[in-house]
């Protein structure tokens, strides 16, 4: 089977929205070539050195590659993707070079080769994320999250995801009820379950994300704790929760601060990321205005996570 490789040279800021556009368009696999991943140090505690060639990576920015089957709808699909990406500056997302290239590849050339980009990574004191095809022997008290990143969600090692997992590791005490808004691969819900919460409601508007999250929840055997549903943010979510976690765009976070406050118990914790540094103050101001106290602001590379508490 022949596949088309859609490649875009863009910025780290644009990675998540571009990947979202690609998987919504039906990408069967996505590779993110970020030079920072050659040696990425997460704080003073965690670091990984991948045995990868720098020649595969751009000198600056990020290259995102997505794979689509060659069919009669391909040209229309590519046009729609390009149009959606070109609309991202309306949300103040810097696309950088925004250089798109299209190439034809055979399935055997990419179906296994892209897996070299994903290795086990320790992302917090308690949790290591490993792709399903990698063998990994955990140490004592180390929890493993296995992910199958085949549906364009990566392996949970983007800085925004890592920041959220580290916050979950720090703030979960055990027995909490949690909502995960924009669950994607389900990695944050799985982390929360493994850290001992009572239950997690994992929500995503995209049915592909719901399917991916459900697969990974079952793979990690936490289906008794995590419920995955298709839903638009917190619409029609009832009840009171101890914690809300949302790894989404800053613009979206700002829009539903009041909804997050409405579903949180008094003193409940709101963990949010997906925030580029230059939008940090905007999100902080919206949270404070919405009745939250800022507990902590943590940063990694160009990304920010904010932990707030309902007052």
């Amino acid at each position: 089977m022949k596949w088309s490789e859609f490649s875009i040279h863009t910025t780290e800021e644009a990675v998540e929205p571009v990947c979202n556009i690609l998987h919504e368009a039906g990408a069967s696999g996505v590779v993110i070539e970020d030079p920072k991943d050659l040696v990425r140090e997460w704080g003073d505690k965690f670091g990984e050195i991948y045995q990868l060639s720098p020649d595969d990576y751009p000198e600056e920015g990020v290259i995102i590659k997505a794979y689509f089957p060659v069919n009669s709808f391909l040209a229309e699909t590519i046009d729609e993707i390009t149009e959606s990406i070109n609309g991202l500056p309306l949300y103040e997302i810097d696309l950088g070079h925004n250089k798109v290239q299209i190439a034809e590849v055979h399935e055997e050339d990419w179906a296994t080769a892209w897996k070299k980009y994903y290795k086990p990574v320790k992302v917090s004191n308690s949790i290591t994320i490993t792709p399903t095809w990698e063998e990994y022997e955990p140490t004592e008290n180390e929890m493993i999250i296995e992910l199958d990143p085949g549906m364009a969600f990566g392996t949970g090692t983007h800085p925004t995801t890592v920041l959220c997992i580290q916050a979950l590791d720090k703030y979960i005490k055990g027995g909490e009820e949690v909502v995960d808004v924009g669950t994607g691969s389900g990695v944050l819900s799985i982390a929360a379950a493994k850290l001992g919460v009572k239950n997690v409601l994992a929500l995503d508007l995209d049915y592909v994300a719901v399917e991916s999250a459900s697969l990974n929840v079952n793979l990690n055997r936490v289906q008794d704790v995590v419920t995955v549903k298709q839903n638009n943010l917190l619409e029609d979510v009832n009840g009171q929760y101890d914690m809300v976690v949302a790894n989404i765009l800053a613009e979206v976070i700002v829009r539903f601060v009041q909804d997050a406050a409405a579903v949180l118990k008094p003193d409940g914790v709101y963990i949010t990321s997906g925030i580029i540094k230059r939008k940090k103050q905007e999100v902080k101001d919206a949270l404070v205005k919405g009745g939250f106290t800022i507990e902590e602001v943590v940063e990694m590379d160009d990304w920010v996570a904010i932990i707030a508490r309902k007052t």
Side-chain angles (χ1 to χ4, degrees):
M1 184 174 182
K2 291 185 177 180
W3 294 76
S4 179
E5 179 187 80
F6 176 95
S7 173
I8 178 169
H9 189 181
T10 185
T11 64
E12 186 171 333
E13 174 183 355
V15 167
E16 293 198 11
V18 169
C19 285
N20 184 62
I21 289 168
L22 292 170
H23 80 68
E24 284 189 344
S28 295
V30 167
V31 169
I32 301 168
E33 296 177 352
D34 184 347
K36 292 180 180 177
D37 281 337
L38 289 169
V39 179
R40 185 190 290 278
E41 295 183 358
W42 290 319
D44 297 326
K45 298 180 181 178
F46 316 116
E48 297 294 325
I49 299 176
Y50 294 171
Q51 300 302 313
L52 299 174
S53 171
D55 295 337
D56 293 333
Y57 289 77
E59 291 185 3
E60 62 172 341
V62 178
I63 292 177
I64 304 171
K65 295 179 179 178
Y67 298 89
F68 298 88
V70 175
N71 56 36
S72 58
F73 306 106
L74 179 61
E76 182 180 343
T77 300
I78 297 299
D79 287 344
E80 290 175 354
I81 291 169
T82 304
E83 183 179 351
S84 295
I85 291 173
N86 288 338
L88 290 175
L90 295 175
Y91 301 94
E92 299 182 15
I93 295 169
D94 180 14
L95 292 176
H97 293 282
N98 192 22
K99 182 180 180 182
V100 171
Q101 293 181 311
I102 308 294
E104 191 173 283
V105 295
H106 290 279
E107 185 167 16
E108 58 269 22
D109 294 333
W110 73 267
T112 56
W114 67 281
K115 293 181 178 181
K116 71 181 181 179
Y117 292 90
Y118 300 122
K119 302 294 180 183
V121 177
K122 186 173 177 65
V123 295
S124 79
N125 286 319
S126 305
I127 292 176
T128 293
I129 296 175
T130 178
T132 53
W133 57 84
E134 287 282 341
E135 292 187 10
Y136 184 81
E137 192 66 34
T139 60
E140 188 178 357
N141 299 322
E142 185 179 15
M143 290 176 278
I144 301 300
I145 295 177
E146 287 190 273
L147 290 186
D148 181 351
M151 290 304 291
F153 294 101
T155 54
T157 56
H158 188 272
T160 59
T161 309
V162 173
L163 289 170
C164 284
I165 291 175
Q166 290 178 355
L168 289 170
D169 200 350
K170 181 175 180 179
Y171 285 89
I172 287 174
K173 306 304 179 186
E176 291 91 347
E177 295 183 288
V178 179
V179 183
D180 176 13
V181 184
T183 193
S185 67
V187 62
L188 300 182
S189 293
I190 295 165
K194 287 183 175 284
L195 288 165
V197 303
K198 181 180 179 181
N199 57 63
V200 185
L201 178 60
L203 307 174
D204 206 292
L205 183 60
D206 181 14
Y207 78 94
V208 177
V210 171
E211 291 181 354
S212 177
S214 298
L215 182 151
N216 286 317
V217 164
N218 289 319
L219 178 66
N220 286 274
R221 297 178 292 280
V222 293
Q223 62 269 28
D224 292 340
V225 178
V226 181
T227 301
V228 184
K229 290 179 62 177
Q230 187 173 12
N231 199 74
N232 183 21
L233 300 176
L234 288 167
E235 284 183 9
D236 301 319
V237 173
N238 300 310
Q240 293 284 284
Y241 293 84
D242 301 287
M243 183 176 291
V244 172
V245 57
N247 182 18
I248 49 183
L249 292 175
E251 292 80 9
V252 182
I253 294 167
V254 168
R255 288 209 307 267
F256 80 106
V257 167
Q258 293 293 341
D259 292 339
V263 302
L264 275 171
K265 297 176 183 177
D267 207 40
V269 174
Y270 185 20
I271 298 170
T272 187
S273 191
I275 305 162
I276 202 71
K277 278 186 180 178
R278 59 185 172 82
K279 297 185 179 179
K280 174 175 64 176
Q281 193 60 48
E282 178 185 350
V283 177
K284 287 177 65 178
D285 291 344
L287 288 168
V288 171
K289 185 178 179 180
F292 287 92
T293 299
I294 306 299
E295 289 275 310
E296 189 177 1
V297 178
V298 287
E299 299 182 2
M300 183 183 297
D301 297 339
D302 294 325
W303 297 95
V304 177
I306 300 173
I307 299 91
R309 192 175 296 273
K310 181 179 175 180
T311 53

